[in-house]
């Protein structure tokens, strides 16, 4: 793969002068000597971890902070393209570089978009070329993360301004000057990004509106959602909007963490929901249940609305699919195929796209056995999280 003598000579002449925290790189190669040499070369600039095959790489890619991955294509079991294609399905944010022989080049090129590959390098690889390419990959990763942070900031500012305008209009204050300047805060153009979306809904609250005061209902919702908010933000998500007694959250927008952290958030919310209910005063709310759905993929971000009310909209199949998956657990509240498929709905239940599952998650796979996810008839298997 490399000119060993030249690479070893260059490494012996260079000193590691990088101070402070460094970016984390994952190297995937089935040959130990290649992993050692790649680590030696890239270790001059980055922190490096290695994996010997696709399965180990999938596990280590979930480590916090992996921003670029260098992977050999020809490996036993899972090829480099297959590994990167799986990362693409999971919405992993790391920039991907694949190493390939000239004879394999055509198959690599045809799969670049499918696997989300940033750059391919043909063997033998020059040391300087490798290092400069990985630096570019890391820079691309940093740009995407900063872009996501700025999008999140714009979203917050625009929506806060819209709320302020509404409050001022209620007080009879002229808001025409504020409204006219609204476009200055909008995003310059719509864009596509890979995100994960989660919907959750509290089941049984609507029935209580007839017997309990508005103050008690809203106060209880605040108690419940305050902890759910904390869990979402702890796992790298943001709350996009509230939808009555439910909410929508987005993962992968303003953080270096992968969108796949959504499944850890689902697990944590499901696990803690019983204790959240215990913290609510009185027995009226003890029978409430929580349903969740999560999905990932490419969405379109863009500003929608008018000068009176604008917000950052998230449009695409992942949002639609997550909303549909959130509806499915409610079928387990009645006798029939839903209960046979998912089991008893005792307190909280979440359904998640299987491509978000990573090793260690406390969920199980369920076959839908004829149940249909509205608008997504091709879904036949889901990950189930419940208590």
């Amino acid at each position: 793969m490399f000119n060993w003598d030249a690479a070893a000579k260059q490494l012996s002449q260079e000193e590691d002068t990088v101070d402070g925290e460094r970016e984390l790189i994952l190297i995937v190669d089935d040959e130990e000597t290649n992993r050692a040499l790649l680590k030696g070369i890239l270790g001059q600039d980055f922190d490096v971890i290695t994996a010997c095959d696709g399965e180990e790489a999938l596990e280590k890619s979930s480590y916090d902070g992996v921003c670029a991955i260098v992977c050999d294509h020809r490996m036993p079991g899972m090829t480099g393209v297959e590994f990167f294609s799986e990362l693409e399905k999971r919405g992993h944010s790391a920039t991907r570089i694949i190493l390939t022989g000239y004879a394999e080049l055509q198959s690599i090129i045809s799969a670049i978009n499918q696997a989300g590959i940033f750059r391919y390098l043909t063997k033998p690889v020059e040391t300087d070329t490798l290092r400069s390419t990985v630096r570019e990959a890391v820079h691309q990763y940093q740009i995407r993360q900063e872009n996501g942070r700025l999008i999140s900031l714009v979203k917050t500012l625009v929506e806060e301004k819209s709320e302020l305008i509404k409050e001022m209009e209620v007080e009879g204050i002229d808001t025409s000057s504020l409204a006219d300047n609204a476009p200055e805060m909008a995003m310059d153009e719509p864009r596509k990004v890979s995100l994960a979306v989660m919907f959750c809904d509290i089941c049984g609250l609507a029935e209580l509106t007839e017997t309990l005061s508005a103050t008690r209902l809203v106060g209880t919702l605040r108690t419940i959602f305050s902890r759910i908010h904390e869990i979402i933000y702890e796992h790298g998500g943001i709350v996009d909007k509230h939808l009555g007694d439910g909410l929508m959250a987005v993962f992968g927008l303003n953080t270096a963490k992968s969108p796949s952290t959504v499944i850890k958030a689902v697990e944590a919310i499901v696990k803690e929901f019983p204790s959240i209910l215990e913290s609510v005063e009185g027995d009226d709310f003890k029978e409430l249940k929580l349903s969740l759905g999560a999905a990932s993929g490419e969405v379109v971000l863009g500003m929608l609305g008018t000068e009176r009310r604008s917000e950052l909209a998230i449009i695409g199949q992942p949002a639609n699919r997550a909303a549909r998956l959130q509806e499915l657990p409610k079928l387990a509240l009645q006798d029939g195929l839903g209960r046979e498929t998912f089991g008893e709905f005792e307190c909280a239940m979440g359904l998640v796209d299987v491509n978000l599952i990573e090793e260690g998650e406390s969920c199980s796979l369920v076959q839908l056995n004829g149940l249909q996810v509205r608008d997504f008839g091709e879904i036949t298997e889901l990950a189930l999280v419940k208590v």
Side-chain angles (χ1 to χ4, degrees):
M1 181 184 293
F2 293 96
N3 183 330
W4 280 83
D5 293 336
K9 182 179 179 180
Q10 181 171 343
L11 287 174
S12 67
Q13 294 172 346
E14 294 180 346
E15 294 182 356
D16 188 354
T17 59
V18 179
D19 297 322
E21 186 175 348
R22 304 196 301 174
E23 300 289 356
L24 182 62
I25 307 299
L26 171 61
I27 293 169
V28 190
D29 198 300
D30 61 308
E31 295 187 21
E32 184 176 357
T33 52
N34 287 340
R35 292 198 302 273
L37 184 58
L38 285 165
K39 184 172 183 178
I41 294 171
L42 296 177
Q44 300 295 309
D45 305 306
F46 309 103
D47 289 335
V48 178
I49 56 176
T50 64
C52 64
D53 57 32
E55 291 299 326
E56 184 182 8
L58 285 174
E59 178 184 350
K60 290 189 174 180
S61 66
S62 65
Y63 292 3
D64 283 347
V66 174
C67 65
I69 301 174
V70 179
C71 182
D72 189 30
H73 172 57
R74 187 175 291 277
M75 299 185 295
M78 190 182 299
T79 68
V81 166
E82 289 170 341
F83 165 60
F84 281 153
S85 295
E86 182 61 28
L87 287 188
E88 183 73 4
K89 292 178 184 177
R90 298 184 181 193
H92 198 287
S93 57
T95 311
R96 300 154 208 169
I97 300 168
I98 196 160
L99 306 176
T100 180
Y102 185 80
E104 305 160 341
L105 191 54
Q106 189 56 48
S107 64
I108 296 294
I109 292 174
S110 64
I112 281 180
N113 290 334
Q114 171 192 340
I117 295 171
F118 167 69
R119 193 73 54 81
Y120 65 85
L121 297 176
T122 55
K123 306 171 190 175
V125 182
E126 293 293 334
T127 301
D128 287 341
T129 301
L130 175 69
R131 292 179 67 182
S132 64
T133 302
V134 174
R135 290 192 192 105
E136 289 180 40
V138 170
H139 184 58
Q140 286 290 324
Y141 173 87
Q142 292 169 334
I143 289 174
R144 290 197 304 273
Q145 298 308 311
E146 180 64 9
N147 185 50
R149 187 189 70 80
L150 294 174
I151 290 172
S152 179
L153 179 61
V154 169
K155 177 185 187 306
T156 300
L157 292 174
V158 170
E159 293 181 356
E160 286 180 353
K161 182 175 182 180
S162 295
E163 291 300 320
L164 176 60
I165 289 175
K166 288 200 311 186
E167 292 175 7
M168 293 174 68
E169 288 176 339
V170 170
E171 298 296 325
I173 301 172
D174 181 16
T175 62
S176 58
S177 59
L178 289 174
D180 290 342
N181 292 330
E184 296 177 5
M185 299 176 62
M187 291 171 55
D188 53 352
E189 61 182 15
R191 63 200 67 192
K192 294 182 178 181
V193 296
S194 292
L195 297 174
V197 181
M198 181 188 78
F199 278 82
C200 75
D201 185 58
I202 300 174
C203 309
L205 195 66
E207 291 81 350
L208 298 177
T209 58
E210 298 179 2
T211 58
L212 298 178
S213 69
T215 300
R216 183 117 187 267
L217 280 170
V218 174
T220 300
L221 275 175
R222 286 173 178 164
T223 299
I224 293 173
F225 281 131
S226 63
R227 179 55 188 145
I228 293 178
H229 276 215
E230 289 175 4
I231 295 172
I232 289 169
Y233 283 91
E234 285 168 4
H235 290 83
I238 65 168
V239 176
D240 180 70
K241 57 175 66 73
H242 278 267
L243 306 162
D245 50 7
L247 62 77
M248 172 183 171
V250 181
F251 293 76
L253 185 60
N254 67 337
T255 168
K257 292 186 178 181
S258 165
S260 63
T261 55
V262 66
I263 193 169
K264 293 181 173 62
V266 170
E267 289 178 329
I269 292 170
V270 167
K271 181 179 178 180
E272 291 198 31
F273 191 67
S275 61
I276 293 173
L277 288 184
E278 288 297 323
S279 68
V280 177
E281 294 184 4
D283 296 329
D284 300 296
F285 304 98
K286 301 307 181 185
E287 299 302 317
L288 294 180
K289 302 182 189 299
L290 186 71
S291 64
L292 303 98
S296 68
E298 189 175 73
V299 301
V300 173
L301 297 179
M303 298 305 302
L304 292 181
T306 67
E307 69 276 5
R308 297 293 180 183
R309 172 68 182 179
S310 297
E311 64 179 1
L312 183 64
I314 299 172
I315 307 165
Q317 296 290 52
N320 296 336
R321 191 162 63 250
R324 303 294 187 261
L325 295 184
Q326 178 272 132
E327 296 173 2
L328 272 188
K330 299 174 184 178
L331 296 178
L333 294 174
Q334 6 179 330
D335 291 330
L337 186 56
R339 183 168 296 175
E340 293 174 10
T341 302
F342 305 128
E344 293 289 334
F345 190 159
E346 296 182 359
C347 188
M349 183 182 294
L351 292 173
V352 181
D353 272 351
V354 292
N355 60 18
L356 286 165
I357 302 174
E358 295 180 356
E359 187 173 347
E361 271 94 24
S362 55
C363 56
S364 57
L365 294 179
V366 294
Q367 303 296 323
L368 294 188
N369 298 323
L371 279 176
Q372 291 291 305
V373 180
R374 183 159 58 92
D375 303 332
F376 298 96
E378 75 281 4
I379 297 179
T380 59
E381 184 179 50
L382 292 168
L384 172 68
V385 185
K386 69 174 185 175
V387 294

